[in-house]
């Protein structure tokens, strides 16, 4: 359906539960419509009443050419704590940036897929969404690309509420999903030696916590990933 100057498309592929392929098809659709931006949506996200108005207002007079991503603040739907934007630290540690005001963000950040507007041209310039990250770590990957290409992010004066599955880990993350998460994490860090070392140390801590929680199947996968 259309909202102002936005075309919103829902894509579900039961044969491919990942999102990178669907996102890339969205990019091709947007390219065919000569759309400058695509919006990434998520089924477990609640959008504020002024979400689209905030985007339209922020872009009505045009934006700088080096801004390739537009994001809202993301709050937990459980307790309103800030989830992103975040600082992405060594080894995949994220720290939400609490004191941040709407406008251009100069420093490197990361955010979640849901609620993110990203430049169609920028996505095309980096070869599309990376299918090596079919679901997890995809957002961190393209925010790393934004950093590497010295591009910028615009923070909207609005917010969304998101149900982040990894917060309630054992309740919402299945064994198969956890295996997929580990695979994506290894792929993300494999060419960055310092990050990889920190990540391996985090896996040790994760392994111990899973054992103490009695989650032996998760612990086995963690150990398997740790020794690879």
């Amino acid at each position: 359906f259309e909202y102002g100057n936005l075309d919103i498309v829902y894509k579900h592929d039961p044969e491919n539960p990942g999102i990178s392929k669907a996102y890339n098809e969205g990019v091709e659709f947007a390219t065919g419509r000569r759309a400058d931006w695509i919006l990434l949506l998520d089924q477990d996200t609640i959008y504020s009443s002024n979400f689209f108005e905030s985007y339209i207002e922020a872009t009505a007079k045009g934006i700088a050419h080096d801004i390739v991503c537009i994001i809202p603040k993301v709050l937990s739907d459980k307790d309103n704590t800030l989830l992103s934007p975040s600082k992405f630290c060594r080894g995949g540690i994220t720290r939400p940036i609490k004191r941040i005001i709407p406008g251009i963000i100069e420093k490197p950040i990361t955010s979640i897929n849901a609620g993110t507007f990203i430049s169609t041209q920028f996505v095309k310039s980096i070869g599309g969404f990376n299918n090596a990250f079919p679901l997890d770590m995809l957002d961190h990957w393209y925010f790393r690309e934004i950093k590497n290409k010295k591009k910028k992010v615009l923070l909207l004066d609005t917010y969304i509420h998101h149900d982040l599955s990894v917060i309630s880990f054992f309740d919402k993350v299945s064994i198969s999903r956890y295996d997929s998460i580990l695979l994506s994490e290894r792929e993300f860090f494999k060419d960055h030696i310092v990050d990889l070392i920190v990540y391996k140390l985090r896996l040790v801590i994760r392994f111990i916590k899973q054992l103490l929680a009695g989650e032996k199947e998760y612990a086995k996968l963690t150990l398997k990933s740790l020794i690879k």
Side-chain angles (χ1 to χ4, degrees):
F1 62 93
E2 294 189 0
Y3 185 98
N5 63 340
L6 300 178
D7 291 324
I8 303 177
V9 179
Y10 173 75
K11 176 68 179 179
H12 174 65
D13 183 357
E15 300 300 322
N16 182 9
I19 57 176
S20 60
K21 181 175 181 290
Y23 285 177
N24 282 324
E25 292 187 17
V27 170
E28 292 306 314
F29 175 85
T31 301
R33 298 292 294 271
R34 298 182 180 180
D36 295 327
W37 299 89
I38 60 172
L39 168 62
L40 309 180
L41 300 171
D42 201 314
Q43 85 283 356
D44 52 7
T45 305
I46 300 173
Y47 295 83
S48 58
S49 59
N50 72 331
F51 179 79
F52 291 114
E53 286 86 351
S54 181
Y55 161 77
I56 293 170
E57 181 179 346
T59 60
K61 296 181 179 180
I63 57 175
H65 71 280
D66 56 350
I67 295 175
V68 298
C69 195
I70 303 174
I71 61 173
K73 287 185 179 181
V74 183
L75 308 178
S76 169
D77 70 342
K78 298 294 187 296
D79 55 12
N80 277 337
T81 56
L82 183 68
L83 300 177
S84 68
S86 301
K87 180 179 180 182
F88 196 73
C89 306
R90 291 293 188 185
I93 299 171
T94 57
R95 293 285 184 265
I97 306 171
K98 295 183 178 180
R99 295 181 180 179
I100 190 167
I101 60 175
I104 298 174
I105 303 175
E106 300 285 351
K107 54 189 174 183
I109 59 100
T110 190
S111 188
I112 66 171
N113 292 313
T116 293
F117 294 89
I118 190 165
S119 162
T120 306
Q121 182 178 0
F122 176 74
V123 175
K124 299 280 280 189
S125 75
I126 58 176
F129 289 98
N130 193 338
N131 288 321
F133 306 100
L135 182 58
D136 300 289
M137 304 301 290
L138 181 64
D139 41 13
H140 298 316
W141 171 79
Y142 62 76
F143 275 101
R144 185 169 67 185
E145 289 296 304
I146 291 172
K147 171 188 174 183
N148 292 342
K149 302 297 184 182
K150 301 186 185 307
K151 301 300 183 180
K152 296 178 182 178
V153 177
L154 177 66
L155 179 64
L156 297 175
D157 188 15
T158 189
Y159 62 89
I160 63 175
H161 283 93
H162 183 69
D163 180 11
L164 192 62
S165 59
V166 294
I167 291 180
S168 304
F169 196 87
F170 300 123
D171 294 331
K172 294 190 176 181
V173 178
S174 66
I175 286 292
S176 60
R177 170 73 188 281
Y178 182 51
D179 195 25
S180 175
I181 290 173
L182 289 170
L183 181 63
S184 295
E185 288 176 341
R186 291 198 303 271
E187 178 68 22
F188 187 83
F189 295 118
K190 68 178 184 180
D191 297 323
H192 302 79
I193 186 63
V194 176
D195 283 325
L196 182 60
I197 292 171
V198 175
Y199 170 63
K200 291 285 187 178
L201 291 174
R202 292 182 64 211
L203 283 182
V204 172
I205 297 172
R206 190 187 296 177
F207 171 72
I208 294 172
K209 288 182 176 179
Q210 287 166 342
L211 280 182
L212 292 176
E215 299 293 343
K216 294 182 180 180
E217 293 302 314
Y218 291 89
K220 286 179 182 178
L221 288 179
T222 302
L223 182 60
K224 179 181 177 181
S225 184
L226 181 61
I227 62 180
K228 281 191 174 181

